[in-house]
Amino acid sequence: MTAVAQPLPAARRPKRMTPARWGLYAFIFITALYFLLPLYVMVVTSLKPMAEIRQGNLLALPIAPSIEAWVKAWTSACTGLTCQGIKIGFLNSLRILVPSVAISILVGSLTGYALSLWRVRGANILFGAMMVVAFIPYQLFIYPLVRVFSFTGLGQSLLTIVMIHTIFGLPTMTLLFRNYFASLPVELFKAARVDGAGFYQIYARIMMPMATPMIVVAVILQTTGIWNDFILGLVFAGRDNLPMTVQLNNIVNSTQGERAYNVDMAATLLTALLPLAVYFGSGRWFVRGIAAGAVKG
Amino acid sequence: MRLSLTSRFSAISALLPALLVMLVVYIGATSWTVWMSLTNSRMLPNNNFVGLRQYETLLGNDRWITSVHNIVIYGVLFVSFALLIGFLLAVAIDQRVRAEDTIRSIFLYPYSMSFVVTGLVWQWLLNPTLGIQHVLRSWGFENATFDWIVRPETAIYCLVIAGVWQASGLVMAIMLAGLRGVDEEIWKAARVDGLPKWRVYMSIIIPMMGASFATAAVLLSTGVVRLYDLSVSMTNGGPGIASEVPAKFVMDHLFERANIGLATAAATTMLITVIAVVAPYLYWRARKGEMR
């Protein structure tokens, strides 16, 4: 785990505003505008009626704000064949998300635990290989996996997509937990062994309760990662389970006739809502997750 | 400590899923893909070995050439701008600015959002009829043009704008952690010597942050090769084939154009590119680990 940036005491902040500091704040202000612009535009567009969008200015605040577009996006926007809104995608994404996060963390933590504390022959080779393959693009696996799943009769289904997320989450999850368990004092593990605790007992009773901070980080990483996935859901979930990102793309990019930009932006915001909530709700934990996921190997 | 038989069995049983995934998915699937690239498989995989013919076809395929051309432009610009902006932001925040937490949240929040969301928002902002161009004109700049997204020769730059917006915050977070790790003594010594701040950054701090730069660059680069969602949601590869990318080429040829041989040849080419980028990095990390 790398050091996470900590705020510095305010007392050491220079008191006078020199020209250089004005320049500094100007730079931060202008870049902040670039970063905030899309969010602002999404929100105001989603609250405007179409007439106002056609005549008005992209940046203008809505004259007569209405949540009509939000209601339409949620309940009746068309995703290709059906017109039941993005809520279908939202529910699908939830059904994919919950088991995928739980199972990938379970398998990843167990693998990390076995690789860190138990001297299994070939463990280092397995771990090293997992870190290397994490870099391979999905395009290398997708077709063979489609064939394997259709051969086993699972085809495209909820179970398939959950397994797929577990598989592709395994390297990062293993890394996360292996490094954490390896940093714990080994005496703890030895004492449990002396007391006669077995492999799974130590895992469930001692290691996992101690790993709560890592579990939080893992939940954040997997939740945003799986919610934001597009390609895997598109290929493996099947028509009835398409996740929210895929449905959103269908709503926006397969419209016939005039596009309802307010509905599009409302649907986009709805799709971004959960990761945004996780991000703003978790604060520094999110940064910790990035740091942990970033430092592979 | 010697392991009892049951414990050893348990440890091995816990590693079975990982081992299975490793052998079947990562090694098995990759090998099969590489093998299929040497066959003339069309809609279904077959085993008619044709050597490197698919790769020859690939090199003569306009869409593939455009895809590779695009990903090089995107890769170079995206990685450079994200590193530059991310680093500058980290340095700016490191100057003990006010409201640091708020500023950091503003720069990092795009990273929590998906490429699909990113692509759709920027598609709307760059829309020439009602987007930024329209705003500029309504402000009195009658001749302002910002229609990159509908022009074939500039569409790829729109993907860069959106990508940099999404990923710069990640670089900032990595760099800020690196900067906060710099020893206070260095700053004190530089102050005593009367070195200007920018000189300290240029000659001392940046050379010290090699690991942060390498990590950020590798993370961004692996994202480049995988680039798919952004192209699909923002331009769907268009106008025409102007913003096609390799990952999309593979997907389209697998599932729409029923040309598995060509698609897997393209995928294998992607794999070789990734190895060329990642292998030196992993080697460097391993060497560094040994020396410690």
Side-chain angles (χ1 to χ4, degrees):
Chain A
M1 180 105 284
T2 49
V4 174
Q6 294 298 323
L8 290 164
R12 278 147 70 201
R13 186 181 295 144
K15 287 206 187 75
R16 280 183 312 124
M17 285 296 282
T18 59
R21 288 198 68 80
W22 279 109
L24 176 73
Y25 280 109
F27 170 72
I28 292 179
F29 183 73
I30 291 165
T31 5
L33 284 185
Y34 166 59
F35 280 84
L36 283 175
L37 178 74
L39 188 61
Y40 170 77
V41 169
M42 264 195 282
V43 173
V44 292
T45 305
S46 73
L47 295 172
K48 289 176 191 172
M50 266 316 280
E52 216 178 291
I53 293 175
R54 261 182 255 115
Q55 290 150 18
N57 184 314
L58 182 76
L59 303 177
L61 283 167
I63 301 165
S66 104
I67 57 158
E68 207 179 311
W70 285 74
V71 175
K72 198 171 171 216
W74 182 252
T75 58
S76 64
C78 298
T79 59
L81 293 174
T82 59
C83 292
Q84 292 173 285
I86 194 99
K87 69 168 185 295
I88 306 288
F90 180 83
L91 294 174
N92 286 346
S93 276
L94 267 189
R95 286 194 298 152
I96 295 171
L97 183 75
V98 174
S100 301
V101 169
I103 297 174
S104 65
I105 291 177
L106 182 75
V107 178
S109 61
L110 199 58
T111 311
Y113 162 70
L115 285 177
S116 60
L117 295 171
W118 296 78
R119 301 255 156 78
V120 183
R121 194 175 302 163
N124 281 337
I125 298 172
L126 181 63
F127 181 66
M130 282 173 80
M131 293 307 104
V132 174
V133 295
F135 288 104
I136 304 178
Y138 292 148
Q139 278 73 23
L140 269 296
F141 319 119
I142 276 185
Y143 193 73
L145 286 179
V146 167
R147 301 289 299 177
V148 168
F149 277 106
S150 82
F151 179 75
T152 57
L154 282 170
Q156 299 172 312
S157 65
L158 194 60
L159 183 59
T160 308
I161 184 68
V162 170
M163 286 173 75
I164 288 286
H165 280 308
T166 307
I167 289 171
F168 290 120
L170 190 59
T172 317
M173 290 300 107
T174 303
L175 168 78
L176 212 63
F177 283 97
R178 177 194 173 269
N179 288 357
Y180 183 75
F181 290 135
S183 74
L184 294 178
V186 74
E187 286 72 27
L188 200 84
F189 172 70
K190 283 185 179 157
R193 292 290 313 278
V194 172
D195 286 349
F199 179 88
Y200 287 102
Q201 263 181 318
I202 300 179
Y203 169 76
R205 298 256 177 85
I206 301 170
M207 291 303 161
M208 282 316 264
M210 289 196 62
T212 317
M214 267 310 102
I215 297 175
V216 175
V217 168
V219 168
I220 292 171
L221 264 182
Q222 288 296 83
T223 303
T224 47
I226 292 169
W227 191 269
N228 289 341
D229 157 68
F230 176 79
I231 191 169
L232 298 176
L234 179 69
V235 175
F236 294 101
R239 269 229 324 257
D240 297 333
N241 304 305
L242 288 177
M244 203 171 185
T245 47
V246 177
Q247 306 255 20
L248 170 69
N249 189 52
N250 288 348
I251 287 181
V252 178
N253 284 330
S254 63
T255 320
Q256 311 278 323
E258 200 205 26
R259 300 231 325 233
Y261 295 109
N262 49 359
V263 177
D264 289 357
M265 285 303 112
T268 309
L269 270 174
L270 282 166
T271 311
L273 221 50
L274 186 119
L276 279 179
V278 169
Y279 171 64
F280 286 109
S282 64
R284 289 183 185 282
W285 287 97
F286 185 83
V287 182
R288 249 188 109 172
I290 290 179
V295 193
K296 287 192 203 280
Chain B
M1 198 182 313
R2 261 186 59 83
L3 299 184
S4 69
L5 206 61
T6 43
S7 286
R8 171 163 297 185
F9 181 76
S10 303
I12 291 171
S13 74
L15 286 176
L16 270 184
L19 198 64
L20 201 70
V21 164
M22 201 59 216
L23 292 177
V24 175
V25 178
Y26 288 108
I27 295 171
T30 307
S31 318
W32 193 11
T33 296
V34 174
W35 166 248
M36 281 189 287
S37 78
L38 303 173
T39 69
N40 63 359
S41 305
R42 295 288 304 190
M43 216 168 90
L44 290 171
N46 64 36
N47 287 327
N48 301 333
F49 183 76
V50 293
L52 296 175
R53 206 190 300 156
Q54 297 288 8
Y55 293 84
E56 276 171 42
T57 315
L58 198 60
L59 288 178
N61 184 310
D62 276 347
R63 212 175 139 186
W64 175 252
I65 301 297
T66 309
S67 302
V68 172
H69 189 74
N70 279 340
I71 208 67
V72 172
I73 295 180
Y74 178 87
V76 170
L77 293 179
F78 166 75
V79 173
S80 326
F81 276 104
L83 280 180
L84 182 71
I85 294 178
F87 180 71
L88 288 179
L89 287 176
V91 170
I93 290 176
D94 201 35
Q95 306 305 310
R96 319 195 202 303
V97 292
R98 276 161 217 284
E100 185 191 309
D101 276 356
T102 316
I103 293 172
R104 283 194 345 193
S105 305
I106 292 173
F107 294 143
L108 192 54
Y109 88 90
Y111 189 68
S112 73
M113 298 209 254
S114 58
F115 267 142
V116 177
V117 167
T118 306
L120 295 177
V121 178
W122 280 98
Q123 184 195 67
W124 169 229
L125 285 168
L126 299 173
N127 174 327
T129 2
L130 292 169
I132 293 173
Q133 175 176 302
H134 180 70
V135 173
L136 291 174
R137 288 186 181 176
S138 75
W139 281 349
F141 302 98
E142 297 296 335
N143 297 319
T145 12
F146 192 32
D147 56 354
W148 289 5
I149 202 163
V150 294
R151 302 220 327 232
E153 66 277 19
T154 47
I156 189 70
Y157 300 109
C158 294
L159 266 62
V160 175
I161 295 176
V164 168
W165 174 79
Q166 205 254 1
S168 294
L170 166 74
V171 180
M172 179 210 66
I174 296 173
M175 295 293 176
L176 195 55
L179 286 174
R180 293 280 154 90
V182 170
D183 196 345
E184 267 305 294
E185 295 301 313
I186 291 176
W187 282 109
K188 279 187 194 152
R191 222 171 291 138
V192 171
D193 287 350
L195 275 176
K197 245 184 174 172
W198 65 269
R199 273 297 307 274
V200 184
Y201 275 110
M202 291 305 283
S203 342
I204 304 171
I205 307 292
I206 292 180
M208 276 177 68
M209 302 228 327
S212 302
F213 273 101
T215 305
V218 168
L219 270 181
L220 295 172
S221 315
T222 50
V224 169
V225 186
R226 287 163 189 250
L227 186 73
Y228 172 74
D229 318 13
L230 195 58
S231 171
V232 170
S233 64
M234 202 168 166
T235 57
N236 201 16
I241 57 163
S243 57
E244 289 288 342
V245 289
K248 189 164 175 295
F249 182 95
V250 175
M251 296 299 286
D252 291 352
H253 281 77
L254 279 180
F255 298 108
E256 276 160 35
R257 300 179 160 226
N259 196 340
I260 290 169
L262 194 64
T264 46
T268 307
T269 312
M270 287 171 71
L271 174 67
I272 295 168
T273 318
V274 171
I275 293 173
V277 173
V278 172
Y281 172 73
L282 290 176
Y283 178 73
W284 173 73
R285 281 199 76 109
R287 279 284 300 272
K288 238 182 69 181
E290 259 169 39
M291 287 191 295
R292 253 192 237 120

